[in-house]
Amino acid sequence: MTLLARERCTACRRDSPSVTSDDIAALHPQTPEWELTEMDSIPKLARVFQFPNFSQALKFTNCIGELAEEEGHHPRLTTEWGRVRVAWWTHKIRNLHRNDFVMAAKTDEIYVAMSSE
């Protein structure tokens, strides 16, 4: 388990601070498989996860959905045959927050656990 994955999301408000470039330099190496991207003019963390079939992709999607509900932080999930694209960002601030890196690390751990089943 990574240190980030042990953290819990903190409640965000519209005036919560976005991560700085220094924060990103420290956090992104802890989630190296995630791409720093921009969609709809909003910075996001995104990753595509591969699966052998739709059933496993859907199971992963549901696990991420349960995690999102527990943490009160929700991603964009796109489920297709054999793959799931996950994008994390903080909706209230329309930017990246530490929570997004925490959730990316938690998502990675779910994927590793499912891959070893």
Side-chain angles (χ1 to χ4, degrees):
M1 180 180 278
T2 67
L3 291 176
L4 274 177
R6 291 184 193 152
E7 294 183 29
R8 300 274 315 193
C9 285
T10 58
C12 284
R13 300 183 326 252
R14 291 200 189 284
D15 62 347
S16 293
S18 302
V19 290
T20 65
S21 56
D22 287 342
D23 295 332
I24 291 171
L27 294 168
H28 193 239
Q30 297 178 62
T31 56
E33 306 268 343
W34 290 79
E35 177 185 357
L36 289 164
T37 187
E38 190 170 298
M39 291 181 258
D40 307 322
S41 301
I42 300 170
K44 298 177 182 180
L45 279 174
R47 181 173 175 193
V48 175
F49 295 88
Q50 301 291 332
F51 297 92
N53 54 49
F54 184 77
S55 178
Q56 288 296 309
L58 185 59
K59 181 179 177 184
F60 178 74
T61 299
N62 288 330
C63 287
I64 301 309
E66 290 173 16
L67 170 66
E69 282 297 295
E70 288 171 14
E71 293 285 344
H73 194 64
H74 302 88
R76 174 181 292 163
L77 297 166
T78 305
T79 305
E80 302 175 272
W81 191 96
R83 59 187 271 168
V84 177
R85 180 173 176 82
V86 181
W88 291 105
W89 76 99
T90 300
H91 302 266
K92 283 188 179 179
I93 63 173
R94 298 180 53 80
N95 207 330
L96 290 172
H97 185 275
R98 183 178 185 90
N99 289 345
D100 302 305
F101 290 90
V102 168
M103 295 302 282
K106 289 176 183 285
T107 302
D108 286 344
E109 289 198 340
I110 290 170
Y111 182 68
V112 168
M114 284 186 66
S115 297
S116 64
E117 288 179 352

